[in-house]
Amino acid sequence: MQKYHLFTFMRKHSFLILPAFILFLNISFSCGESFDEKEPEIIDLQNIEIYNLNNAGEEPVIVEDNTPIPQEAYAIRIRPIPQQKLSENGYYQLYDKITRIEVIDISNNVDISEYFRIIPNQYSSGNTELSEYNVYIFNGYPADIDIALLTFLKAGEQRFAISLILESGRKLSAVTPITTLY
């Protein structure tokens, strides 16, 4: 009598068995390798691009043509340029890791790195110190590194030389466009 009820149930609800079986197969095949378990492809940096930012709003905005920026809202965007072309779905790690970010005031030839902090993003390790920046992973395309000015400098036109110091001692440098801080 028990077998009869099971057979009747299966016959009445057979439309549910096929989707359940397909769902089971889909889950079992997709559990093999998750994104977090995937080994990163090792890449190297070729260069950097630098942009002045106005960080006064909800999101930092790139400022061009020497538009004045309030000092309390000044930030710099560092865009790492990899040697290889990267795919959208790739998972990458730097071969030669960034160990420090250096900021030089060009007009006075002074290292002012201590006056800047990293604005955290999903790729940073949570550490905001430029002197201890040692983790950088790409997920798809390279993530920008935004650094914010924490103190007041002399008002007026400014230019800064930005360098990424790599583990090997190699230095990637670029100069910010002229900006007027007030």
Side-chain angles (χ1 to χ4, degrees):
M1 191 85 166
Q2 288 277 7
K3 288 183 183 180
Y4 177 74
H5 289 299
L6 180 61
F7 180 72
T8 306
F9 174 80
M10 287 178 59
R11 194 167 44 133
K12 286 183 179 178
H13 302 292
S14 63
F15 64 93
L16 294 175
I17 294 174
L18 182 61
F21 182 69
I22 291 171
L23 180 64
F24 171 76
L25 286 177
N26 190 22
I27 291 171
S28 64
F29 282 118
S30 65
C31 287
E33 183 179 289
S34 73
F35 181 77
D36 294 334
E37 296 170 359
K38 186 177 169 184
E39 284 294 316
E41 181 181 339
I42 306 301
I43 63 169
D44 206 3
L45 294 179
Q46 172 182 326
N47 205 352
I48 59 173
E49 294 175 353
I50 305 295
Y51 304 93
N52 290 318
L53 298 177
N54 185 336
N55 195 26
E58 207 170 294
E59 294 285 324
V61 176
I62 293 176
V63 176
E64 297 182 22
D65 302 328
N66 197 9
T67 304
I69 304 171
Q71 288 196 44
E72 62 273 9
Y74 182 67
I76 299 170
R77 175 161 293 160
I78 305 166
R79 179 164 291 157
I81 308 298
Q83 287 182 350
Q84 303 90 321
K85 180 162 176 44
L86 305 181
S87 70
E88 273 187 53
N89 301 320
Y91 177 48
Y92 305 96
Q93 187 168 7
L94 289 177
Y95 163 74
D96 198 1
K97 291 183 174 66
I98 301 166
T99 58
R100 189 164 59 92
I101 300 170
E102 182 180 80
V103 181
I104 303 292
D105 176 349
I106 292 178
S107 60
N108 298 315
N109 197 26
V110 176
D111 185 341
I112 58 169
S113 304
E114 67 188 82
Y115 300 147
F116 286 85
R117 290 291 177 267
I118 295 169
I119 300 170
N121 64 30
Q122 72 258 27
Y123 299 103
S124 59
S125 63
N127 187 0
T128 61
E129 298 287 327
L130 272 58
S131 61
E132 299 174 13
Y133 190 77
N134 58 11
V135 176
Y136 202 75
I137 293 175
F138 300 90
N139 177 4
Y141 292 100
D144 297 329
I145 305 167
D146 292 345
I147 59 175
L149 179 64
L150 298 179
T151 190
F152 289 103
L153 300 174
K154 184 181 87 180
E157 286 190 350
Q158 299 284 345
R159 259 185 122 180
F160 304 101
I162 310 299
S163 297
L164 297 183
I165 313 299
L166 305 178
E167 203 169 48
S168 67
R170 192 166 62 117
K171 195 184 234 190
L172 300 175
S173 300
V175 176
T176 63
I178 293 174
T179 190
T180 301
L181 299 180
Y182 66 91

